[in-house]
Amino acid sequence: MNKVKIAVIGLGHMGRHMIHRLLPQYAEKLELVAICDSDESSLNREVEAAGITPRLFTDYRQLLSEVALDLIYIAVPPSLHYEVARIAFEKGIHVFCEKPLANSLDEARSLVEQAEQADVLHAVHFSLPLDPAVLKLKALLEEQAIGGIHKLELYLEFPRWPRAWQQNPWITSRQQGGYLLEVGIHWIQMIQQVFGPITQVQSEIEFPPDSNQAESHVRAIMRLHNGTEIHLLGTDQREGEERVSLVVHGDDGTLALENWRNLYRSSNDAEPQVVPADDIVSPLPILKQIVQMLNGEPGIIYDFYDAITRKWCWKLCASRVKASWI
């Protein structure tokens, strides 16, 4: 069987993770034939560090024009996602895109239409619902481990934004960045996978004096389809360590997914206890699922249509200080 020819477009944190950590795991099935980044020195440095010899480009348009590809991985800033994916679809190339899918709902809807017309695989890099701790959380909820659910709390609290390892020109911008789009989108997507669709949002968002900068403080109430409320608290001025967590309150106790992967359970009259997820077999990484699907095998991905149905981060970020239901 011929290897799938893949190109990586964008060498930020996720692009580097792809070429150094993920792609080497699938070297028998994937061939990295090209990489693109606008920073030529970064291109040369990362390729040398990885010990690979793909073709190098500083213009994604040139790459997509000159290189025969089966699949691209898009890891450029969100404002470029639409154009890169659009060209790929025109050429019949499968697309694996970082989140958020696009820079607006209109762009995202257009990409879904183009993907369907191209009749190719299209996936967004949502992985949190398939993480072992989340799968364990879901299993406990199905077992009614804490009884009926009456409230969820989502915490997106950072001592600073962006984090020290996350410095780039767009991550703090109101147009493309901020912790709601960069981090919150993972949790809102996961919540809707586990608990069902969100149907309403009421939010109050404070921005810095600089109109180009992303949100500083966020308070929001989101309602699930069954009326259950999700209370969101966000800040870039937290004292102490970062906290990115979901707390589920039930009639008979709570389940808390703290800092992505640490699951705790408590009854109404007991201290929280760690819940191990060692017994859970996760289908991650998403790249493995894509490889299986391109080889005609079953796989689990979140496609571009799924990215549109997770529209509430765009709704939150479009809001301003005045609270209103949307």
Side-chain angles (χ1 to χ4, degrees):
M1 182 178 295
N2 294 330
K3 291 185 179 181
V4 173
K5 297 183 183 299
I6 183 174
V8 172
I9 301 180
L11 281 182
H13 177 75
M14 295 306 298
R16 295 194 302 272
H17 180 74
M18 179 63 71
I19 69 170
H20 291 294
R21 301 288 299 277
L22 285 181
L23 287 176
Q25 299 178 40
Y26 303 96
E28 294 182 357
K29 296 183 178 181
L30 291 171
E31 179 184 0
L32 178 58
V33 296
I35 303 177
C36 178
D37 192 88
S38 58
D39 185 341
E40 188 171 4
S41 63
S42 176
L43 268 174
N44 293 323
R45 181 175 62 253
E46 298 301 334
V47 165
E48 181 179 0
I52 52 180
T53 57
R55 294 183 63 182
L56 305 181
F57 296 84
T58 56
D59 187 327
Y60 64 85
R61 292 172 290 258
Q62 182 182 4
L63 184 157
L64 292 170
S65 174
E66 295 183 8
V67 182
L69 295 166
D70 302 304
L71 172 68
I72 62 168
Y73 173 60
I74 301 176
V76 292
S79 63
L80 296 174
H81 287 186
Y82 178 85
E83 185 64 13
V84 178
R86 181 190 66 79
I87 297 173
F89 289 143
E90 287 181 351
K91 297 180 176 296
I93 299 170
H94 304 292
V95 174
F96 182 24
C97 186
E98 274 303 322
K99 51 73 203 164
L101 172 58
N103 226 32
S104 69
L105 278 171
D106 288 341
E107 284 187 355
R109 291 187 181 106
S110 177
L111 285 179
V112 168
E113 294 176 1
Q114 294 175 51
E116 291 176 346
Q117 291 171 4
D119 193 25
V120 295
L121 180 146
H122 46 97
V124 180
H125 203 178
F126 287 130
S127 59
L128 188 56
L130 303 179
D131 189 87
V134 176
L135 294 175
K136 187 69 172 183
L137 169 70
K138 185 176 180 181
L140 290 171
L141 292 172
E142 290 172 351
E143 295 170 6
Q144 294 282 302
I146 57 171
I149 306 305
H150 56 79
K151 186 175 74 171
L152 286 74
E153 293 174 326
L154 177 60
Y155 297 92
L156 306 174
E157 299 183 338
F158 303 88
R160 59 178 291 190
W161 183 267
R163 296 105 138 190
W165 54 268
Q166 208 173 20
Q167 306 296 315
N168 63 52
W170 57 268
I171 199 72
T172 63
S173 72
R174 193 174 303 186
Q175 180 188 22
Q176 301 186 73
Y179 56 81
L180 281 176
L181 273 178
E182 185 66 16
V183 177
I185 195 168
H186 281 295
W187 290 81
I188 290 174
Q189 191 260 350
M190 181 271 283
I191 286 170
Q192 295 194 106
Q193 289 292 326
V194 175
F195 296 92
I198 294 169
T199 57
Q200 288 181 304
V201 173
Q202 186 183 45
S203 62
E204 185 175 331
I205 303 181
E206 297 178 16
F207 293 94
D210 185 344
S211 61
N212 293 318
Q213 295 300 295
E215 67 278 353
S216 180
H217 299 283
V218 179
R219 296 178 64 90
I221 298 175
M222 298 175 282
R223 286 181 181 164
L224 295 170
H225 63 294
N226 60 9
T228 303
E229 291 186 349
I230 308 159
H231 291 231
L232 186 158
L233 289 175
T235 182
D236 61 359
Q237 297 175 25
R238 175 178 169 85
E239 295 184 7
E241 298 293 322
E242 172 181 315
R243 185 186 186 193
V244 180
S245 305
L246 177 69
V247 181
V248 184
H249 296 273
D251 297 331
D252 302 324
T254 64
L255 288 168
L257 185 60
E258 295 287 345
N259 294 320
W260 300 92
R261 293 180 174 87
N262 301 311
L263 184 61
Y264 298 87
R265 175 183 175 182
S266 63
S267 61
N268 292 330
D269 56 356
E271 292 296 314
Q273 300 293 318
V274 174
V275 180
D278 300 338
D279 58 326
I280 300 295
V281 178
S282 169
L284 292 176
I286 296 294
L287 181 63
K288 178 176 75 173
Q289 301 298 314
I290 289 174
V291 169
Q292 290 175 187
M293 294 175 72
L294 291 180
N295 284 325
E297 303 169 16
I300 303 170
I301 61 171
Y302 300 104
D303 62 18
F304 282 18
Y305 178 79
D306 184 82
I308 285 186
T309 64
R310 313 306 166 196
K311 62 183 178 293
W312 295 107
C313 266
W314 278 304
K315 295 286 190 181
L316 278 167
C317 292
S319 303
R320 290 300 182 260
V321 173
K322 182 180 179 181
S324 61
W325 284 106
I326 53 178

